[in-house]
Amino acid sequence: MNRLTSTHLIHAELRRLLATSLWKWGPLAAVFSGGALTILCVLVGPENFDPPMPGVDTAAGVRLVLSMIGLTVLAPALFGALAVTSEYRHRTIAYTFLFAPKRHRILGAKLAAYGIAGLVYGLIVALSAAAALYGGAAARGIEIGASPGAVAGILAGLAAAMTVYTVIGVGLGALIQNQTATLIALGAYLYMVEHTLAIIPGFNLVYPFLPGGATAALTESSLMSEAAVEVTGSATPLLPPLIGAAVLLAYALFASAAAVLAPMRRDVA
Amino acid sequence: MHPPHRLEIRGLTKRFGPVAAVTDVGFAVEPGRVTGFLGPNGSGKTTTLRMLLGLVEPDAGTALVNGLRYRELPDPARTVGAALEANNFHPGQTGRDHLRIYAAMIGSPDSRVDEVLSLTGIWDAAHRKTGGYSTGMRQRLNLATAMLGEPPVLVLDEPTNGLDPEGIAWLRRFLKEAAAEGRTVLVASHVLSEAAQLVDDVLVMHRGRLLAAAPLTELAAGTTLEDAFLNLTGALA
Ligand SMILES: Nc1ncnc2c1ncn2[C@@H]1O[C@H](COP(=O)(O)OP(=O)(O)OP(=O)(O)O)[C@@H](O)[C@H]1O
Ligand SMILES: [Mg+2]
Protein backbone atom coordinates (compact mmCIF):
# COMPACT_ATOMS: atom_id res chain seq x y z
CA MET A 1 0.00 0.00 0.00
CA ASN A 2 2.62 2.51 1.02
CA ARG A 3 4.92 2.13 -1.95
CA LEU A 4 7.58 4.71 -2.63
CA THR A 5 5.82 7.52 -4.42
CA SER A 6 7.38 10.60 -5.95
CA THR A 7 5.27 12.77 -3.66
CA HIS A 8 6.75 11.03 -0.61
CA LEU A 9 10.28 11.38 -1.95
CA ILE A 10 9.87 15.10 -2.72
CA HIS A 11 8.25 15.66 0.67
CA ALA A 12 11.25 13.98 2.31
CA GLU A 13 13.71 16.12 0.35
CA LEU A 14 11.88 19.30 1.33
CA ARG A 15 12.03 18.15 4.95
CA ARG A 16 15.74 17.52 4.56
CA LEU A 17 16.17 21.01 3.12
CA LEU A 18 14.37 22.61 6.05
CA ALA A 19 16.04 20.45 8.70
CA THR A 20 19.40 22.27 8.59
CA SER A 21 19.97 25.96 9.13
CA LEU A 22 21.48 26.40 5.65
CA TRP A 23 18.13 27.24 4.10
CA LYS A 24 17.74 30.27 6.35
CA TRP A 25 20.62 31.90 4.48
CA GLY A 26 18.78 31.45 1.19
CA PRO A 27 16.23 34.28 1.55
CA LEU A 28 18.95 36.51 2.98
CA ALA A 29 21.22 35.88 0.00
CA ALA A 30 18.26 36.46 -2.31
CA VAL A 31 17.45 39.86 -0.82
CA PHE A 32 21.10 40.77 -0.96
CA SER A 33 21.50 39.68 -4.60
CA GLY A 34 18.25 41.28 -5.74
CA GLY A 35 17.47 44.18 -3.44
CA ALA A 36 20.78 45.31 -1.96
CA LEU A 37 22.75 45.15 -5.22
CA THR A 38 20.03 46.94 -7.18
CA ILE A 39 19.47 49.73 -4.68
CA LEU A 40 23.20 50.33 -4.55
CA CYS A 41 23.43 50.64 -8.36
CA VAL A 42 20.33 52.84 -8.55
CA LEU A 43 21.42 55.17 -5.77
CA VAL A 44 24.98 55.51 -7.08
CA GLY A 45 23.65 55.72 -10.63
CA PRO A 46 25.33 54.00 -13.61
CA GLU A 47 26.03 57.48 -15.03
CA ASN A 48 28.51 57.86 -12.15
CA PHE A 49 30.24 54.50 -12.85
CA ASP A 50 33.76 54.53 -14.19
CA PRO A 51 33.48 54.49 -17.18
CA PRO A 52 30.07 56.21 -17.13
CA MET A 53 27.14 54.07 -18.28
CA PRO A 54 23.56 54.92 -19.21
CA GLY A 55 21.43 55.97 -16.20
CA VAL A 56 18.27 54.23 -15.03
CA ASP A 57 16.22 56.91 -16.78
CA THR A 58 17.10 55.01 -19.98
CA ALA A 59 16.03 51.48 -20.97
CA ALA A 60 19.69 50.50 -21.43
CA GLY A 61 20.49 51.73 -17.91
CA VAL A 62 17.66 49.69 -16.37
CA ARG A 63 18.84 46.58 -18.22
CA LEU A 64 22.42 47.20 -17.10
CA VAL A 65 21.46 47.57 -13.44
CA LEU A 66 19.31 44.44 -13.49
CA SER A 67 21.98 42.51 -15.41
CA MET A 68 24.20 42.84 -12.33
CA ILE A 69 21.85 40.39 -10.62
CA GLY A 70 22.89 37.84 -13.23
CA LEU A 71 26.36 37.93 -11.68
CA THR A 72 25.05 36.49 -8.40
CA VAL A 73 23.97 33.13 -9.81
CA LEU A 74 26.77 31.44 -7.88
CA ALA A 75 24.59 31.56 -4.75
CA PRO A 76 21.72 29.37 -6.00
CA ALA A 77 24.20 27.11 -7.80
CA LEU A 78 26.10 26.53 -4.54
CA PHE A 79 22.83 25.99 -2.74
CA GLY A 80 21.84 23.22 -5.19
CA ALA A 81 25.32 21.71 -5.09
CA LEU A 82 25.29 21.55 -1.28
CA ALA A 83 22.01 19.64 -1.44
CA VAL A 84 23.66 16.62 -2.98
CA THR A 85 27.25 16.88 -1.81
CA SER A 86 26.36 17.20 1.88
CA GLU A 87 24.66 13.81 1.59
CA TYR A 88 27.95 12.34 0.40
CA ARG A 89 30.00 14.33 2.89
CA HIS A 90 27.98 13.19 5.90
CA ARG A 91 27.32 9.80 4.31
CA THR A 92 23.57 10.03 4.77
CA ILE A 93 23.47 8.99 1.11
CA ALA A 94 23.72 5.37 2.32
CA TYR A 95 20.42 5.66 4.21
CA THR A 96 18.90 7.54 1.33
CA PHE A 97 19.79 4.82 -1.17
CA LEU A 98 18.64 2.14 1.31
CA PHE A 99 15.24 3.80 1.51
CA ALA A 100 15.12 4.53 -2.23
CA PRO A 101 17.42 2.03 -3.96
CA LYS A 102 16.22 3.13 -7.39
CA ARG A 103 18.67 5.97 -7.21
CA HIS A 104 17.43 7.98 -10.17
CA ARG A 105 14.15 8.49 -8.32
CA ILE A 106 15.75 10.16 -5.33
CA LEU A 107 17.78 12.42 -7.58
CA GLY A 108 14.59 13.26 -9.45
CA ALA A 109 12.99 14.17 -6.12
CA LYS A 110 16.00 16.33 -5.21
CA LEU A 111 15.75 18.12 -8.56
CA ALA A 112 12.05 18.77 -7.96
CA ALA A 113 12.54 19.94 -4.36
CA TYR A 114 15.44 22.20 -5.27
CA GLY A 115 13.67 23.40 -8.40
CA ILE A 116 10.90 24.61 -6.09
CA ALA A 117 13.41 26.11 -3.66
CA GLY A 118 15.31 27.76 -6.54
CA LEU A 119 12.11 29.28 -7.88
CA VAL A 120 11.24 30.69 -4.45
CA TYR A 121 14.77 32.08 -4.27
CA GLY A 122 14.37 33.62 -7.72
CA LEU A 123 11.04 35.20 -6.84
CA ILE A 124 12.52 36.81 -3.72
CA VAL A 125 15.38 38.13 -5.86
CA ALA A 126 12.91 39.52 -8.43
CA LEU A 127 10.55 41.10 -5.93
CA SER A 128 13.29 42.70 -3.85
CA ALA A 129 14.97 43.96 -7.04
CA ALA A 130 11.70 45.52 -8.23
CA ALA A 131 11.20 47.20 -4.87
CA ALA A 132 14.79 48.46 -4.93
CA LEU A 133 14.58 49.69 -8.53
CA TYR A 134 11.36 51.67 -8.12
CA GLY A 135 12.08 52.70 -4.52
CA GLY A 136 15.61 53.86 -5.34
CA ALA A 137 14.49 55.77 -8.42
CA ALA A 138 11.69 57.43 -6.45
CA ALA A 139 14.15 58.39 -3.72
CA ARG A 140 16.38 60.06 -6.32
CA GLY A 141 13.37 61.53 -8.11
CA ILE A 142 14.21 59.78 -11.39
CA GLU A 143 11.73 58.35 -13.86
CA ILE A 144 12.48 54.68 -14.74
CA GLY A 145 13.43 54.50 -18.41
CA ALA A 146 11.71 51.16 -19.07
CA SER A 147 8.06 50.15 -19.05
CA PRO A 148 6.81 48.09 -16.08
CA GLY A 149 6.13 45.27 -18.54
CA ALA A 150 9.73 45.30 -19.75
CA VAL A 151 11.05 45.33 -16.16
CA ALA A 152 8.71 42.47 -15.22
CA GLY A 153 9.92 40.49 -18.24
CA ILE A 154 13.57 40.89 -17.28
CA LEU A 155 12.90 40.01 -13.63
CA ALA A 156 10.88 36.93 -14.60
CA GLY A 157 13.80 35.85 -16.74
CA LEU A 158 16.19 36.32 -13.84
CA ALA A 159 13.93 34.36 -11.47
CA ALA A 160 13.90 31.53 -14.01
CA ALA A 161 17.69 31.78 -14.31
CA MET A 162 18.06 31.38 -10.52
CA THR A 163 15.94 28.22 -10.72
CA VAL A 164 18.08 26.91 -13.56
CA TYR A 165 21.32 27.53 -11.67
CA THR A 166 19.96 25.72 -8.60
CA VAL A 167 19.24 22.72 -10.81
CA ILE A 168 22.69 23.00 -12.44
CA GLY A 169 24.17 22.94 -8.93
CA VAL A 170 22.27 19.75 -8.09
CA GLY A 171 23.49 18.14 -11.31
CA LEU A 172 27.10 19.12 -10.80
CA GLY A 173 26.99 18.00 -7.17
CA ALA A 174 25.68 14.59 -8.21
CA LEU A 175 28.43 14.29 -10.80
CA ILE A 176 31.37 15.37 -8.64
CA GLN A 177 30.03 14.23 -5.23
CA ASN A 178 32.94 15.78 -3.35
CA GLN A 179 31.69 18.93 -1.64
CA THR A 180 34.83 21.06 -1.72
CA ALA A 181 35.65 20.08 -5.30
CA THR A 182 32.13 20.97 -6.43
CA LEU A 183 32.17 24.37 -4.73
CA ILE A 184 35.59 25.19 -6.18
CA ALA A 185 34.55 24.04 -9.66
CA LEU A 186 31.42 26.19 -9.57
CA GLY A 187 33.17 29.28 -8.25
CA ALA A 188 36.11 28.94 -10.62
CA TYR A 189 33.88 28.38 -13.62
CA LEU A 190 31.37 31.14 -12.95
CA TYR A 191 33.83 33.80 -11.86
CA MET A 192 36.99 32.97 -13.78
CA VAL A 193 36.67 30.57 -16.69
CA GLU A 194 33.54 32.07 -18.17
CA HIS A 195 34.74 35.65 -17.79
CA THR A 196 38.04 34.79 -19.35
CA LEU A 197 36.39 33.03 -22.27
CA ALA A 198 34.25 36.11 -22.82
CA ILE A 199 37.27 38.21 -23.67
CA ILE A 200 39.51 35.71 -25.48
CA PRO A 201 39.19 36.33 -29.23
CA GLY A 202 37.66 33.30 -30.91
CA PHE A 203 36.35 31.82 -27.66
CA ASN A 204 34.19 34.87 -27.18
CA LEU A 205 32.06 33.52 -30.03
CA VAL A 206 30.89 30.68 -27.76
CA TYR A 207 30.29 32.98 -24.81
CA PRO A 208 26.66 33.74 -25.77
CA PHE A 209 25.96 30.00 -25.55
CA LEU A 210 27.60 29.52 -22.15
CA PRO A 211 25.33 29.76 -19.07
CA GLY A 212 26.63 33.25 -18.24
CA GLY A 213 26.10 34.52 -21.78
CA ALA A 214 22.62 33.03 -21.92
CA THR A 215 21.80 34.69 -18.58
CA ALA A 216 23.06 38.02 -19.90
CA ALA A 217 20.80 37.54 -22.93
CA LEU A 218 17.80 37.63 -20.58
CA THR A 219 18.67 41.20 -19.59
CA GLU A 220 20.04 42.07 -23.04
CA SER A 221 22.97 43.55 -21.23
CA SER A 222 26.21 42.29 -19.79
CA LEU A 223 29.12 43.86 -18.02
CA MET A 224 31.20 41.09 -19.53
CA SER A 225 30.31 42.16 -23.05
CA GLU A 226 31.10 45.72 -22.11
CA ALA A 227 34.43 44.52 -20.76
CA ALA A 228 35.00 42.55 -23.95
CA VAL A 229 34.52 45.74 -25.96
CA GLU A 230 37.14 47.43 -23.84
CA VAL A 231 39.62 44.58 -24.25
CA THR A 232 39.02 43.35 -27.77
CA GLY A 233 37.42 46.39 -29.32
CA SER A 234 34.46 44.35 -30.58
CA ALA A 235 31.41 43.04 -28.75
CA THR A 236 30.05 39.56 -29.28
CA PRO A 237 26.32 39.99 -29.77
CA LEU A 238 24.24 38.24 -27.12
CA LEU A 239 21.46 35.87 -28.08
CA PRO A 240 17.89 37.19 -28.22
CA PRO A 241 16.25 36.84 -24.74
CA LEU A 242 13.99 33.93 -25.65
CA ILE A 243 16.83 31.97 -27.26
CA GLY A 244 18.92 32.73 -24.17
CA ALA A 245 16.14 31.29 -22.03
CA ALA A 246 16.01 28.20 -24.23
CA VAL A 247 19.78 27.74 -23.90
CA LEU A 248 19.52 28.01 -20.10
CA LEU A 249 16.68 25.51 -20.10
CA ALA A 250 18.86 23.15 -22.12
CA TYR A 251 21.57 23.45 -19.47
CA ALA A 252 18.99 22.66 -16.77
CA LEU A 253 17.86 19.56 -18.66
CA PHE A 254 21.46 18.51 -19.22
CA ALA A 255 22.23 18.95 -15.50
CA SER A 256 19.09 17.02 -14.57
CA ALA A 257 20.07 14.15 -16.83
CA ALA A 258 23.55 14.15 -15.31
CA ALA A 259 22.10 14.17 -11.78
CA VAL A 260 19.79 11.27 -12.49
CA LEU A 261 22.36 9.14 -14.30
CA ALA A 262 25.48 9.90 -12.25
CA PRO A 263 24.85 7.79 -9.12
CA MET A 264 23.48 4.79 -11.00
CA ARG A 265 25.88 1.96 -10.23
CA ARG A 266 28.55 3.72 -8.23
CA ASP A 267 29.47 1.98 -4.98
CA VAL A 268 28.49 3.82 -1.82
CA ALA A 269 31.18 3.48 0.80
CA MET B 1 2.17 -10.09 10.27
CA HIS B 2 4.48 -10.37 7.28
CA PRO B 3 5.04 -13.54 5.32
CA PRO B 4 8.46 -14.99 6.15
CA HIS B 5 11.36 -13.64 4.14
CA ARG B 6 14.38 -15.68 3.18
CA LEU B 7 17.74 -14.24 2.12
CA GLU B 8 19.69 -16.10 -0.50
CA ILE B 9 23.22 -15.24 -1.50
CA ARG B 10 24.95 -17.00 -4.39
CA GLY B 11 28.49 -16.70 -5.70
CA LEU B 12 28.99 -13.13 -4.46
CA THR B 13 32.37 -11.75 -5.45
CA LYS B 14 33.85 -8.29 -5.11
CA ARG B 15 37.35 -6.91 -5.61
CA PHE B 16 38.54 -3.45 -4.65
CA GLY B 17 41.58 -3.05 -6.88
CA PRO B 18 44.11 -5.60 -5.64
CA VAL B 19 41.97 -6.59 -2.61
CA ALA B 20 39.73 -9.63 -3.05
CA ALA B 21 37.20 -8.44 -0.45
CA VAL B 22 34.62 -11.18 -1.07
CA THR B 23 35.15 -14.32 -3.11
CA ASP B 24 32.39 -16.67 -4.24
CA VAL B 25 30.31 -16.41 -1.09
CA GLY B 26 26.98 -18.21 -0.92
CA PHE B 27 24.57 -18.88 1.94
CA ALA B 28 20.93 -18.65 2.96
CA VAL B 29 19.44 -16.87 5.95
CA GLU B 30 16.23 -18.36 7.31
CA PRO B 31 13.33 -16.50 8.88
CA GLY B 32 12.53 -17.03 12.54
CA ARG B 33 16.17 -17.34 13.52
CA VAL B 34 19.02 -15.03 14.43
CA THR B 35 21.94 -15.61 12.10
CA GLY B 36 25.38 -14.46 13.20
CA PHE B 37 27.71 -13.30 10.43
CA LEU B 38 31.10 -13.72 12.04
CA GLY B 39 34.66 -13.20 10.93
CA PRO B 40 37.84 -11.30 11.74
CA ASN B 41 38.40 -7.66 10.76
CA GLY B 42 38.56 -7.25 7.03
CA SER B 43 37.10 -10.68 6.27
CA GLY B 44 34.40 -9.23 4.00
CA LYS B 45 31.30 -9.09 6.24
CA THR B 46 30.44 -5.46 5.63
CA THR B 47 31.14 -5.72 1.92
CA THR B 48 28.80 -8.72 1.67
CA LEU B 49 26.04 -6.83 3.51
CA ARG B 50 26.53 -3.78 1.27
CA MET B 51 26.13 -5.97 -1.79
CA LEU B 52 23.00 -7.54 -0.31
CA LEU B 53 21.59 -4.03 0.21
CA GLY B 54 22.40 -2.72 -3.25
CA LEU B 55 24.96 -0.19 -2.04
CA VAL B 56 27.89 -1.97 -3.64
CA GLU B 57 27.68 -3.57 -7.06
CA PRO B 58 29.06 -7.16 -6.99
CA ASP B 59 31.55 -8.23 -9.65
CA ALA B 60 29.69 -11.54 -9.78
CA GLY B 61 26.90 -13.36 -8.00
CA THR B 62 23.51 -12.38 -6.67
CA ALA B 63 21.94 -11.54 -3.35
CA LEU B 64 18.19 -12.02 -3.12
CA VAL B 65 15.52 -11.09 -0.60
CA ASN B 66 12.55 -13.36 -1.15
CA GLY B 67 13.79 -14.00 -4.68
CA LEU B 68 14.28 -10.33 -5.55
CA ARG B 69 17.34 -8.12 -5.65
CA TYR B 70 17.16 -5.38 -3.04
CA ARG B 71 16.84 -2.76 -5.76
CA GLU B 72 13.82 -4.56 -7.22
CA LEU B 73 11.90 -4.79 -3.95
CA PRO B 74 8.62 -2.93 -4.27
CA ASP B 75 8.90 -1.59 -0.75
CA PRO B 76 12.56 -1.88 0.30
CA ALA B 77 12.57 -0.05 3.65
CA ARG B 78 9.40 -1.86 4.72
CA THR B 79 11.01 -5.17 3.80
CA VAL B 80 14.57 -4.85 5.10
CA GLY B 81 15.64 -2.71 8.03
CA ALA B 82 19.35 -2.11 7.69
CA ALA B 83 21.75 -0.59 10.18
CA LEU B 84 25.29 -0.30 8.86
CA GLU B 85 28.04 1.86 10.31
CA ALA B 86 26.52 4.26 12.81
CA ASN B 87 28.14 7.45 11.58
CA ASN B 88 25.84 8.38 8.73
CA PHE B 89 24.12 11.40 10.22
CA HIS B 90 24.07 15.04 9.29
CA PRO B 91 25.62 16.65 12.40
CA GLY B 92 23.38 19.72 12.11
CA GLN B 93 20.14 17.74 12.22
CA THR B 94 18.45 16.53 15.36
CA GLY B 95 17.72 12.84 15.78
CA ARG B 96 14.04 13.53 15.24
CA ASP B 97 14.75 15.56 12.05
CA HIS B 98 16.74 12.64 10.69
CA LEU B 99 13.96 10.13 11.39
CA ARG B 100 11.27 12.47 10.05
CA ILE B 101 13.06 12.69 6.70
CA TYR B 102 13.19 8.93 6.25
CA ALA B 103 9.68 8.43 7.63
CA ALA B 104 8.44 10.88 4.97
CA MET B 105 10.27 8.92 2.31
CA ILE B 106 8.21 5.81 2.97
CA GLY B 107 5.03 7.69 3.83
CA SER B 108 5.05 6.78 7.53
CA PRO B 109 3.29 9.15 9.91
CA ASP B 110 5.31 11.14 12.45
CA SER B 111 3.79 8.97 15.19
CA ARG B 112 6.02 6.16 13.89
CA VAL B 113 9.03 8.41 14.54
CA ASP B 114 7.94 8.73 18.17
CA GLU B 115 7.48 4.98 18.39
CA VAL B 116 11.00 4.12 17.20
CA LEU B 117 12.46 6.84 19.43
CA SER B 118 10.86 5.22 22.48
CA LEU B 119 11.63 1.71 21.28
CA THR B 120 15.36 2.42 20.99
CA GLY B 121 15.55 4.53 24.12
CA ILE B 122 16.75 7.82 22.62
CA TRP B 123 13.58 9.79 23.21
CA ASP B 124 15.43 12.16 25.54
CA ALA B 125 18.08 12.96 22.93
CA ALA B 126 15.68 13.31 19.99
CA HIS B 127 15.72 17.11 20.06
CA ARG B 128 19.51 17.30 20.13
CA LYS B 129 21.76 17.62 17.08
CA THR B 130 23.31 14.29 16.08
CA GLY B 131 26.74 15.94 15.92
CA GLY B 132 26.74 15.80 19.73
CA TYR B 133 25.61 12.17 20.04
CA SER B 134 27.73 9.56 21.78
CA THR B 135 28.62 6.38 19.90
CA GLY B 136 25.88 4.45 21.70
CA MET B 137 23.28 7.11 20.90
CA ARG B 138 24.28 7.01 17.23
CA GLN B 139 23.93 3.24 17.28
CA ARG B 140 20.43 3.55 18.76
CA LEU B 141 19.43 6.17 16.18
CA ASN B 142 20.81 3.86 13.53
CA LEU B 143 18.56 1.05 14.82
CA ALA B 144 15.63 3.45 15.08
CA THR B 145 16.06 4.31 11.39
CA ALA B 146 16.14 0.63 10.48
CA MET B 147 12.92 0.02 12.44
CA LEU B 148 10.94 2.85 10.83
CA GLY B 149 9.30 0.61 8.26
CA GLU B 150 8.55 -2.27 10.70
CA PRO B 151 10.53 -4.57 8.42
CA PRO B 152 10.28 -8.38 8.49
CA VAL B 153 14.03 -8.57 7.79
CA LEU B 154 16.77 -7.00 9.91
CA VAL B 155 20.33 -6.66 8.65
CA LEU B 156 22.68 -5.21 11.24
CA ASP B 157 26.41 -4.56 11.02
CA GLU B 158 28.14 -4.60 14.43
CA PRO B 159 25.00 -3.26 16.15
CA THR B 160 26.46 -3.52 19.66
CA ASN B 161 29.40 -1.21 18.86
CA GLY B 162 29.35 1.52 21.47
CA LEU B 163 26.31 0.18 23.34
CA ASP B 164 26.48 0.02 27.14
CA PRO B 165 25.84 -3.35 28.87
CA GLU B 166 22.21 -2.46 29.39
CA GLY B 167 21.89 -1.55 25.71
CA ILE B 168 23.52 -4.82 24.66
CA ALA B 169 21.15 -6.83 26.84
CA TRP B 170 18.20 -4.89 25.45
CA LEU B 171 19.32 -5.46 21.87
CA ARG B 172 19.78 -9.18 22.53
CA ARG B 173 16.22 -9.48 23.85
CA PHE B 174 14.92 -7.33 21.03
CA LEU B 175 16.53 -9.41 18.28
CA LYS B 176 15.48 -12.72 19.86
CA GLU B 177 11.91 -11.43 20.06
CA ALA B 178 12.08 -10.28 16.45
CA ALA B 179 13.16 -13.75 15.38
CA ALA B 180 10.49 -15.36 17.55
CA GLU B 181 7.93 -13.22 15.69
CA GLY B 182 9.11 -14.82 12.46
CA ARG B 183 11.44 -12.08 11.31
CA THR B 184 14.71 -12.77 9.55
CA VAL B 185 17.67 -11.43 11.51
CA LEU B 186 21.21 -11.23 10.14
CA VAL B 187 23.82 -9.74 12.47
CA ALA B 188 27.46 -9.18 11.57
CA SER B 189 29.80 -9.19 14.53
CA HIS B 190 33.30 -10.01 15.63
CA VAL B 191 32.42 -10.09 19.31
CA LEU B 192 32.08 -13.83 19.77
CA SER B 193 31.01 -13.79 23.40
CA GLU B 194 28.01 -11.66 22.45
CA ALA B 195 27.22 -13.73 19.38
CA ALA B 196 27.29 -16.94 21.40
CA GLN B 197 24.45 -15.62 23.57
CA LEU B 198 22.38 -14.41 20.66
CA VAL B 199 22.56 -16.43 17.49
CA ASP B 200 20.88 -19.62 16.31
CA ASP B 201 22.86 -20.00 13.11
CA VAL B 202 26.46 -19.11 12.40
CA LEU B 203 28.21 -18.02 9.22
CA VAL B 204 31.99 -17.70 9.45
CA MET B 205 33.91 -15.51 7.01
CA HIS B 206 37.67 -15.52 6.60
CA ARG B 207 39.70 -13.58 4.05
CA GLY B 208 36.66 -12.97 1.88
CA ARG B 209 35.49 -16.57 1.81
CA LEU B 210 32.77 -18.39 3.72
CA LEU B 211 34.40 -21.01 5.95
CA ALA B 212 31.38 -22.45 7.69
CA ALA B 213 27.61 -22.22 7.82
CA ALA B 214 25.88 -24.22 10.53
CA PRO B 215 23.59 -23.99 13.53
CA LEU B 216 25.42 -22.76 16.62
CA THR B 217 24.70 -26.03 18.46
CA GLU B 218 26.40 -27.98 15.70
CA LEU B 219 29.38 -25.68 15.17
CA ALA B 220 30.18 -25.29 18.85
CA ALA B 221 29.27 -28.85 19.86
CA GLY B 222 31.45 -29.91 22.79
CA THR B 223 33.37 -26.62 22.73
CA THR B 224 32.79 -22.85 22.79
CA LEU B 225 31.97 -20.68 19.82
CA GLU B 226 35.25 -18.90 20.37
CA ASP B 227 37.32 -22.08 20.23
CA ALA B 228 35.39 -23.32 17.20
CA PHE B 229 35.93 -19.95 15.50
CA LEU B 230 39.63 -19.77 16.28
CA ASN B 231 40.03 -23.33 15.10
CA LEU B 232 38.34 -22.57 11.81
CA THR B 233 40.09 -19.29 11.07
CA GLY B 234 43.39 -20.33 12.63
CA ALA B 235 43.68 -23.51 10.61
CA LEU B 236 43.72 -21.53 7.41
CA ALA B 237 45.73 -18.57 8.66
N1 LIG C 1 35.55 0.83 -0.54
C1 LIG C 1 36.62 0.06 -0.39
N2 LIG C 1 37.75 0.31 -1.08
C2 LIG C 1 38.83 -0.48 -0.94
N3 LIG C 1 38.89 -1.55 -0.15
C3 LIG C 1 37.80 -1.86 0.56
C4 LIG C 1 36.61 -1.08 0.49
N4 LIG C 1 35.70 -1.64 1.31
C5 LIG C 1 36.29 -2.71 1.87
N5 LIG C 1 37.55 -2.86 1.44
C6 LIG C 1 38.49 -3.94 1.80
O1 LIG C 1 37.81 -5.16 1.67
C7 LIG C 1 38.16 -6.05 2.72
C8 LIG C 1 36.91 -6.49 3.44
O2 LIG C 1 36.41 -5.38 4.18
P1 LIG C 1 35.05 -5.45 5.02
O3 LIG C 1 34.78 -4.06 5.51
O4 LIG C 1 34.01 -6.09 4.19
O5 LIG C 1 35.43 -6.39 6.22
P2 LIG C 1 34.67 -6.69 7.59
O6 LIG C 1 34.59 -8.16 7.70
O7 LIG C 1 33.39 -5.94 7.63
O8 LIG C 1 35.68 -6.13 8.66
P3 LIG C 1 35.40 -5.46 10.12
O9 LIG C 1 35.18 -6.57 11.08
O10 LIG C 1 36.69 -4.75 10.42
O11 LIG C 1 34.26 -4.54 9.99
C9 LIG C 1 39.15 -5.30 3.58
O12 LIG C 1 40.44 -5.67 3.18
C10 LIG C 1 38.90 -3.86 3.25
O13 LIG C 1 40.06 -3.10 3.41
MG1 LIG D 1 32.66 -4.46 8.91
Side-chain angles (χ1 to χ4, degrees):
Chain A
M1 34 144 218
N2 259 319
R3 305 258 153 126
L4 284 175
T5 69
S6 299
T7 325
H8 287 155
L9 295 180
I10 295 169
H11 182 205
E13 287 310 315
L14 288 172
R15 270 191 177 178
R16 191 193 302 281
L17 168 61
L18 296 178
T20 48
S21 47
L22 174 72
W23 75 271
K24 290 171 192 150
W25 296 97
L28 209 68
V31 169
F32 186 82
S33 305
L37 197 58
T38 305
I39 195 101
L40 194 73
C41 292
V42 173
L43 289 184
V44 172
E47 65 277 14
N48 299 319
F49 286 6
D50 181 29
M53 307 246 175
V56 286
D57 53 351
T58 67
V62 171
R63 287 202 303 266
L64 178 75
V65 164
L66 295 181
S67 77
M68 307 285 269
I69 297 172
L71 299 177
T72 67
V73 291
L74 179 64
L78 289 183
F79 185 60
L82 281 174
V84 190
T85 55
S86 77
E87 282 239 64
Y88 282 96
R89 178 168 165 212
H90 301 299
R91 308 175 71 182
T92 52
I93 197 73
Y95 282 120
T96 304
F97 286 160
L98 282 174
F99 274 66
K102 295 199 168 96
R103 301 179 181 180
H104 64 278
R105 296 198 53 194
I106 200 73
L107 267 301
K110 279 189 196 295
L111 286 167
Y114 277 80
I116 295 169
L119 185 60
V120 171
Y121 180 92
L123 289 175
I124 300 176
V125 168
L127 289 176
S128 61
L133 181 65
Y134 287 102
R140 284 186 62 197
I142 316 175
E143 191 88 355
I144 296 285
S147 71
V151 172
I154 291 174
L155 290 178
L158 284 170
M162 298 297 164
T163 315
V164 165
Y165 276 95
T166 315
V167 168
I168 289 176
V170 171
L172 204 66
L175 268 182
I176 303 182
Q177 296 185 355
N178 180 289
Q179 189 158 337
T180 316
T182 308
L183 302 192
I184 290 174
L186 271 172
Y189 176 77
L190 289 176
Y191 287 142
M192 286 164 64
V193 177
E194 207 169 61
H195 292 189
T196 311
L197 287 182
I199 55 172
I200 295 180
F203 281 106
N204 58 359
L205 294 177
V206 299
Y207 177 71
F209 295 94
L210 297 178
T215 309
L218 297 174
T219 51
E220 298 177 73
S221 173
S222 156
L223 270 191
M224 281 310 115
S225 303
E226 308 279 347
V229 180
E230 297 248 315
V231 175
T232 63
S234 71
T236 312
L238 294 168
L239 299 170
L242 281 179
I243 306 289
V247 169
L248 274 183
L249 191 67
Y251 277 109
L253 291 176
F254 191 68
S256 305
V260 167
L261 296 176
M264 271 326 221
R265 299 271 148 170
R266 268 195 249 177
D267 290 350
V268 177
Chain B
M1 217 191 71
H2 298 275
H5 285 61
R6 189 166 183 273
L7 310 184
E8 201 172 332
I9 280 154
R10 292 189 216 126
L12 268 193
T13 300
K14 180 72 180 183
R15 295 188 69 93
F16 293 107
V19 181
V22 175
T23 309
D24 195 23
V25 164
F27 57 82
V29 182
E30 304 295 339
R33 301 173 71 82
V34 178
T35 302
F37 195 31
L38 313 180
N41 292 136
S43 56
K45 304 181 295 293
T46 299
T47 304
T48 303
L49 297 186
R50 286 184 179 283
M51 288 192 278
L52 168 66
L53 297 166
L55 293 175
V56 163
E57 187 74 7
D59 295 335
T62 50
L64 304 178
V65 181
N66 254 12
L68 292 176
R69 286 170 208 265
Y70 187 81
R71 214 170 269 169
E72 295 160 353
L73 290 171
D75 224 348
R78 287 179 190 283
T79 309
V80 181
L84 298 173
E85 269 168 303
N87 59 2
N88 303 343
F89 305 110
H90 190 298
Q93 287 170 5
T94 67
R96 176 175 265 111
D97 286 338
H98 167 84
L99 291 169
R100 273 169 43 85
I101 291 167
Y102 292 97
M105 218 178 261
I106 56 173
S108 284
D110 285 349
S111 58
R112 182 64 194 154
V113 170
D114 293 339
E115 283 169 23
V116 296
L117 281 169
S118 321
L119 176 75
T120 53
I122 42 165
W123 179 273
D124 291 339
H127 64 282
R128 282 170 48 190
K129 295 196 169 171
T130 63
Y133 277 20
S134 68
T135 317
M137 284 153 75
R138 287 163 179 278
Q139 194 62 264
R140 286 166 192 261
L141 182 57
N142 202 16
L143 280 169
T145 315
M147 295 308 297
L148 274 173
E150 298 184 72
V153 180
L154 287 172
V155 174
L156 312 176
D157 195 0
E158 316 274 1
T160 54
N161 259 3
L163 284 189
D164 50 28
E166 189 200 331
I168 292 174
W170 166 79
L171 185 68
R172 187 164 58 229
R173 279 197 310 277
F174 177 78
L175 294 180
K176 282 182 180 243
E177 267 169 38
E181 288 167 8
R183 293 179 209 258
T184 310
V185 182
L186 178 61
V187 186
S189 175
H190 50 225
V191 188
L192 297 176
S193 54
E194 275 165 20
Q197 296 183 61
L198 171 68
V199 306
D200 304 302
D201 292 327
V202 180
L203 302 162
V204 180
M205 291 286 288
H206 185 59
R207 297 187 177 174
R209 292 179 185 272
L210 187 72
L211 277 191
L216 176 68
T217 45
E218 205 174 287
L219 197 79
T223 170
T224 63
L225 175 60
E226 184 166 327
D227 283 346
F229 177 89
L230 291 176
N231 248 330
L232 274 169
T233 54
L236 291 171

